[in-house]
Amino acid sequence: MAETDTAPGAQQFIPPQADTIDELRAAATGCQGCELYRNASQTVFGRGDETARVVLVGEQPGDLEDQKGLPFVGPAGRLLRKAVDDAGIDPQHIYLTNAVKHFRFELRGKRRIHQSPDRVHITACRPWLVAEFARLHPEIVVVLGATAAKALLGPSFRVTKQRGELLPWPASAQRPEDFTRVPVDSEGKVADAPAARLLATIHPSAVLRADDQDVAYAGLVKDLTVGARALAAAVRPTAGQGG
Ligand code: SF4
C-alpha cells in the first residue's frame, strides 16, 4: 500500500445538498479523499439512532466491518454494545461511527492485518465526521481509543490519563472551529453545532486484547457509566424544540 504525506481530503465528496445521514452515507460510497479507498472493499459509514444522545467514535472499520459495510459488527462491536448496556445506556439508542471510514490493512499471505491509520488519513476523513456531528445532536461524544482521540482532540491527548472525564465539546477539540461553524443545510448556511460533552475511553478491541479482560472490561463500563450518569442528570428538550 502506497504511503502518502498528503491526501485531497473528503470535503470535495460531500455534496452541499446532503442534509441527512442517509444522504451523507450514499455520498461517502464514492469518496476518494485518501488512498485507503483503493484496497478496502467499501466505505463503512456510521449507523444507529440519528436522535441518539450518545455518539461513539472508534478508529476505523475492521476486516469484518469492511466486508459487511457496517461499523462495529465484529466481536469488539458486540462487546461495546454489552458494555454500553451494562453502563446503563440503551444500546438501541446510540449512534456508532469511526474517525476513518475505510479499512486500512496490510496483506500477509491471504490475511489482512489491521494497520492503524496515519495522521494523513485521519485528517482527510475528518470532514465526514464533522458532517455527521453537524446532522446529529449528541449530548455526549464518546471517543474510543487513542486514534479516535487524536482525530478529535489532537496528538497530545492521552486516553490513559484522561479517560472517564467529561470534557466540554467542541471546546476540547484540537480545532474547535472544525466542529462548530459547520454547514447545516443545502444552501451552505453555517451554524453552531450544539454543545456536547466528550468522554474518552479505551477501544473495545483493547479489552479483547487485554491480559485481564475482566479488569479491562470493568474499566470500559466504569468510563461509560460516567456518561450514563451525566445523561440521567440532564433533561433533554422534547422533540420539536430543536437542540
Ligand atoms: S478513509 Fe475517509 S477520506 Fe479516505 S477514502 Fe475513505 S472515506 Fe474518503
Side-chain angles (χ1 to χ4, degrees):
M1 190 178 296
E3 290 289 337
T4 57
D5 292 331
T6 60
Q11 194 62 47
Q12 62 187 296
F13 298 93
I14 304 178
Q17 71 274 17
D19 289 333
T20 66
I21 292 289
D22 280 348
E23 286 167 337
L24 284 179
R25 187 181 293 111
T29 60
C31 185
Q32 300 181 3
C34 73
E35 55 165 339
L36 296 188
Y37 78 93
R38 290 201 196 113
N39 294 330
S41 307
Q42 56 193 316
T43 309
V44 181
F45 207 73
R47 66 164 179 157
D49 180 356
E50 291 169 29
T51 66
R53 299 175 78 188
V54 183
V55 171
L56 298 105
V57 184
E59 178 195 83
Q60 65 163 350
D63 196 338
L64 195 62
E65 285 84 5
D66 171 79
Q67 293 171 41
K68 297 201 179 248
L70 296 168
F72 293 98
V73 288
R78 279 197 296 282
L79 185 140
L80 178 61
R81 278 187 191 75
K82 182 171 179 332
V84 163
D85 201 12
D86 286 348
I89 298 168
D90 185 346
Q92 299 299 319
H93 296 293
I94 57 175
Y95 182 93
L96 293 160
T97 193
N98 283 300
V100 171
K101 313 290 196 225
H102 273 109
F103 177 38
R104 187 182 193 213
F105 60 92
E106 64 177 354
L107 271 179
R108 282 193 211 148
K110 289 191 175 166
R111 292 185 64 209
R112 305 194 302 171
I113 308 296
H114 166 277
Q115 266 195 308
S116 288
D118 285 339
R119 180 141 199 84
V120 65
H121 309 123
I122 292 170
T123 304
C125 212
R126 186 184 292 132
W128 289 118
L129 195 59
V130 173
E132 284 175 293
F133 283 148
R135 287 149 183 86
L136 302 165
H137 298 278
E139 291 170 64
I140 298 193
V141 175
V142 179
V143 285
L144 302 164
T147 303
K150 278 184 205 155
L152 271 71
L153 297 157
S156 59
F157 187 85
R158 295 279 172 273
V159 173
T160 45
K161 285 200 178 143
Q162 285 183 275
R163 62 183 290 186
E165 256 180 58
L166 280 172
L167 302 168
W169 176 261
S172 307
Q174 183 184 23
R175 288 170 48 89
E177 64 273 23
D178 283 350
F179 295 93
T180 48
R181 305 293 295 170
V182 290
V184 291
D185 72 9
S186 57
E187 290 164 357
K189 192 175 85 180
V190 172
D192 284 326
R197 280 178 287 177
L198 182 135
L199 183 68
T201 186
I202 56 172
H203 195 280
S205 61
V207 176
L208 296 173
R209 289 194 305 266
D211 291 337
D212 191 332
Q213 294 191 2
D214 290 345
V215 169
Y217 180 78
L220 174 61
V221 172
K222 186 177 170 203
D223 292 343
L224 292 170
T225 303
V226 173
R229 291 207 180 111
L231 290 177
V235 179
R236 170 155 233 185
T238 53
Q241 288 187 304

